Amino acid sequence: MLGKLIYYETKAFGRIMLPLYAAALAFSLFMGLGLRIIPADLLEGLPYILMFMIYTFLILAVMIMTGVLSVTRFYNNLLGREGYLMFSLPTGTLSLIGSKVISVLIWSALSGLAALLTVILCGLGAGGMYFLREIPSLFRFLAEWKDLPSALALTGTTLVFLAVTAAASIVRIYAAIAIGHQFNGHRIAWSVVAYIAFQIIETMIGSLFGLFAHSMSPFETWVESFSRFFEAETVSAMLLVEWWAVLGSAVFIVIFGLLTWFLLDRRLNLE
């Protein structure tokens, strides 16, 4: 059932996000071709500024709409009128919440990938065959790079870190919305208050943990190693820091997830 929920959730996202992706990708290619074909004197000033502003607007629209849909889909689908139907499905509350979180993570990753592809398409349009000819050189550089295994390990850990911290942020928002929905009036305002309170509590816990880590580990050596970014000891230190951050985010995912489950499963207050 979880798979079906994710399928329909991603399908609902796709109806809005896919046209935005197509518009951003098409315009990035158009902008790159314009930079290559149109004479530079014609692009100076307002035309260049307008192209850059439209490109920036499209990228921001993709990112903002991903966040807006993640909130509105949860609120309307589970806590609005649609909630009567959703909670009558033969599945548990955790599956309903999990499908929302997983779908948002999928579309957040797709949005980041779409933004990266816009840069590639713009470069391809502006550079043409020169851009393509440089790709083998990039692969040769990576093959000869002695620190490639450490860099790949750091990259993989960073992706895990981004995914887990994003999931923690999503569940935090859902928990705040669930708390705000316990009130009969001003639910959005109470949700904002709950979210701010969560942020303050997390900051306090993070500060206390930072002080503890500083007193119990050679923190100064980590800071010093950051100045030599891709050296072995730096990668090791950054991996350690990121895995600690992943662990902390995972703890908050469990806490906020259980809180959201409890409020939706035991104290549901539909409109």
Side-chain angles (χ1 to χ4, degrees):
M1 191 63 183
L2 178 61
K4 291 182 179 179
L5 290 171
I6 294 173
Y7 169 76
Y8 287 110
E9 191 68 19
T10 53
K11 187 176 180 180
F13 265 79
R15 285 195 292 267
I16 297 176
M17 297 305 302
L18 290 179
L20 280 177
Y21 292 164
L25 293 172
F27 186 81
S28 64
L29 181 59
F30 167 79
M31 185 171 68
L33 290 173
L35 293 175
R36 180 159 62 98
I37 297 174
I38 302 175
D41 56 339
L42 295 179
L43 281 175
E44 291 181 356
L46 185 60
Y48 179 81
I49 295 175
L50 284 176
M51 282 200 306
F52 182 77
M53 287 180 63
I54 294 173
Y55 172 77
T56 304
F57 171 78
L58 288 172
I59 297 301
L60 288 176
V62 166
M63 300 303 175
I64 293 173
M65 187 55 66
T66 304
V68 170
L69 286 176
S70 67
V71 175
T72 57
R73 287 290 305 169
F74 176 83
Y75 188 87
N76 295 331
N77 204 226
L78 296 184
L79 297 175
R81 297 182 183 276
E82 298 178 15
Y84 292 101
L85 173 63
M86 295 301 297
F87 285 100
S88 66
L89 295 175
T91 186
T93 305
L94 278 180
S95 294
L96 295 174
I97 299 171
S99 66
K100 303 293 182 185
V101 176
I102 295 172
S103 298
V104 174
L105 288 177
I106 291 173
W107 283 102
S108 297
L110 290 176
S111 296
L113 181 60
L116 178 61
L117 287 176
T118 60
V119 176
I120 296 175
L121 285 177
C122 185
L124 183 61
M129 294 303 298
Y130 175 79
F131 183 85
L132 294 176
R133 285 197 298 267
E134 291 301 312
I135 294 179
S137 300
L138 175 62
F139 283 108
R140 285 195 298 270
F141 169 76
L142 293 175
E144 297 171 358
W145 189 19
K146 63 178 181 179
D147 290 329
L148 180 60
S150 298
L152 289 176
L154 180 60
T155 302
T157 304
T158 302
L159 292 176
V160 174
F161 165 76
L162 292 175
V164 175
T165 52
S169 299
I170 296 166
V171 180
R172 183 196 306 121
I173 294 173
Y174 290 172
I177 294 174
I179 288 178
H181 213 73
Q182 300 302 305
F183 298 87
N184 292 324
H186 306 290
R187 290 174 172 175
I188 295 178
W190 283 113
S191 297
V192 173
V193 171
Y195 182 82
I196 294 174
F198 288 156
Q199 289 283 67
I200 294 174
I201 293 172
E202 281 193 57
T203 302
M204 293 174 60
I205 294 175
S207 300
L208 292 174
F209 180 78
L211 292 174
F212 175 77
H214 186 278
S215 62
M216 298 299 292
S217 62
F219 189 79
E220 291 80 3
T221 61
W222 297 0
V223 176
E224 182 182 353
S225 66
F226 281 3
S227 63
R228 301 185 300 276
F229 180 62
F230 271 119
E231 294 182 13
E233 64 271 19
T234 305
V235 173
S236 299
M238 293 185 71
L239 286 172
L240 184 59
V241 171
E242 287 191 344
W243 278 116
W244 273 111
V246 167
L247 179 61
S249 297
V251 171
F252 283 116
I253 289 174
V254 173
I255 294 173
F256 291 134
L258 290 176
L259 176 60
T260 306
W261 168 82
F262 174 78
L263 293 175
L264 266 61
D265 193 74
R266 305 298 171 87
R267 299 179 60 86
L268 185 62
N269 184 19
L270 293 177
E271 294 179 348

